[in-house]
Amino acid sequence: MPVSRITIGSSAEASHPDALKAALAEFISMVIFVFAGEGSGMAFNKLTNNGAATPAGLIAASIAHAFALFVAVSVGANISGGHVNPAVTFGAFIGGNITLLRGLLYWAAQLLGSVVACLLLKIATGGLETSAFSLSSGVGVWNAVVFEIVMTFGLVYTVYATAVDPKKGDVGIVAPIAIGFIVGANILAGGAFDGASMNPAVSFGPAVVSWTWNAHWVYWLGPLVGAAVAALVYDVIFIGQGTHEQLPTSEF
């Protein structure tokens, strides 16, 4: 079972140069991702004078997030594994692919990167609001939790299939593209209902800068549950004990 491979890690690991470089890579990748993703929404609001959401706006958000995540994962892959998402890091931890201490270091870097990206956007746009994720009219918190669980399951399952599985072969080359595509597709599916976060850090930055915390817990609970389920399903059924190997962080 994957949970049998969960490790805490040593205290020295958190201060090891490789771990610190990996955390810095996660921070930079998150700044790139959130600046482009959140920035695309702010640009749409400016162009429409804060008008109502439209299908065109949803498509623009999907494309911006897909492209930005493709780049963010690619530039961090050889250093930190290109997680760019606390839920992905949590899924890696559940599968025994990263220690708890290194995972917490990644989380801190990812959350800080999102906050910094939103602050930079606020400064660069002359004080425009970095809108926090919120539920659409008629969408309850548990509806949104289900959305986030299912969408994040798809994301982390894709990560496992293209980046973690030791049998991935040449498929690993297209991992950043596949990861970007599934996020873009999920935004088209869930964006109109709860914003389609799939990423606690992406929700955290705008919430901090705008200081808006309505139903914020949804964007933690849903992604973390979805990530854990995806990690367990893929690891137990498709990797298994016989073919599993501890992957270097640079490979995931």
Side-chain angles (χ1 to χ4, degrees), residues 82-107:
H83 293 198
V84 204
N85 187 336
V88 170
T89 301
F90 185 64
F93 168 70
I94 293 296
N97 295 292
I98 190 172
T99 65
L100 175 63
L101 290 179
R102 193 176 188 121
L104 291 175
L105 190 63
Y106 277 29
W107 272 27

Side-chain angles (χ1 to χ4, degrees), residues 107-170:
W107 272 27
Q110 292 158 353
L111 295 174
L112 181 60
S114 181
V115 172
V116 169
C118 289
L119 286 172
L120 289 172
L121 281 168
K122 194 171 184 67
I123 293 169
T125 60
L128 293 181
E129 181 183 9
T130 54
S131 300
F133 280 75
S134 61
L135 310 185
S136 297
S137 176
V139 178
V141 291
W142 292 108
N143 301 129
V145 167
V146 172
F147 255 114
E148 291 296 325
I149 288 174
V150 176
M151 291 186 295
T152 311
F153 175 92
L155 167 59
V156 176
Y157 188 91
T158 301
V159 169
Y160 261 78
T162 61
V164 177
D165 193 334
K167 306 183 297 295
K168 64 182 181 292
D170 292 339

Side-chain angles (χ1 to χ4, degrees), residues 225-242:
V225 171
V229 174
L232 291 170
V233 167
Y234 198 95
D235 199 297
V236 171
I237 298 176
F238 300 111
I239 296 180
Q241 292 282 34

Side-chain angles (χ1 to χ4, degrees), residues 7 13 18 56 88 130 218:
T7 56
E13 183 179 16
D18 285 345
V88 170
T130 54
V218 166

Side-chain angles (χ1 to χ4, degrees), residues 33 62 65-74 77 81-85 88 151 154-164 171-187 198-199 251-252:
F33 179 45
S62 170
H65 282 83
F67 283 4
L69 186 58
F70 162 61
V71 173
V73 171
S74 297
H83 293 198
V84 204
N85 187 336
V88 170
M151 291 186 295
L155 167 59
V156 176
Y157 188 91
T158 301
V159 169
Y160 261 78
T162 61
V164 177
V171 173
I173 298 173
V174 301
I177 299 175
I179 293 166
F181 276 8
I182 189 61
V183 166
N186 280 339
I187 288 173
M198 299 166 276
N199 189 327
E251 293 186 25
F252 174 60

